[in-house]
Amino acid sequence: MTFEVRPIGHVESALTDRGAAPKQADEGAPDAWLVLDPALAPAAADLAAGDELVVVTWLHEADRGVLVVHPRGDPARPPTGVFSTRSPARPNPVGLHTVRVLGRDGTRIHVDALEAVDGTPLIDLKRALAPRSEER
């Protein structure tokens, strides 16, 4: 089976070097802009400052052939299957990033700490859910 994923926009960021980018947002990632296709303006009309979003990206610079990594690129850590890590290298390099909306200018959405590099394609935006209860 095959299917098509179309980008809805891209990231504008000061991060241009994947190797120098933080591995997680809380490790010094800068604010960024989510630049949406203008045709998608109705889909973003209700987004406002303070909203928490899950940004879904396509990590276009990732190696899709990697199945096992040393977590966080640390050779002292044991080799681990990518499905047990947050590595960008994986069969389908989908990135998940939780951000807070700082403001917007039409279809340009200013967000806080985002570790995606400049030009990263956006796949989707979803409102973040409140944390699940520890009771199950």
Side-chain angles (χ1 to χ4, degrees):
M1 175 182 0
T2 62
F3 55 93
E4 180 180 344
V5 175
R6 292 181 300 234
I8 62 167
H10 65 277
V11 172
E12 279 186 2
S13 173
L15 297 174
T16 57
D17 179 3
R18 182 175 62 121
K23 296 194 182 301
Q24 297 297 324
D26 63 356
E27 296 176 349
D31 293 357
W33 288 88
L34 309 178
V35 181
L36 302 180
D37 179 326
L40 300 175
D46 301 310
L47 297 178
D51 288 346
E52 192 168 298
L53 301 175
V54 175
V55 177
V56 184
T57 60
W58 186 262
L59 303 173
H60 63 297
E61 295 184 13
D63 184 343
R64 296 182 76 172
V66 174
L67 301 180
V68 177
V69 297
H70 291 280
R72 301 189 63 77
D74 181 355
R77 293 184 180 203
T80 304
V82 296
F83 295 153
S84 295
T85 75
R86 301 259 320 156
S87 172
R90 52 198 326 109
N92 285 308
V94 173
L96 300 174
H97 319 266
T98 302
V99 300
R100 184 163 314 278
V101 175
L102 300 175
R104 37 179 310 196
D105 179 13
T107 55
R108 293 174 45 85
I109 303 165
H110 189 200
V111 298
D112 69 357
L114 179 63
E115 71 278 19
V117 298
D118 189 59
T120 298
L122 297 170
I123 296 174
D124 207 348
L125 306 176
K126 293 185 179 261
R127 186 173 304 277
L129 297 175
R132 291 206 275 174
S133 167
E134 293 299 318
E135 296 178 27
R136 294 196 180 217

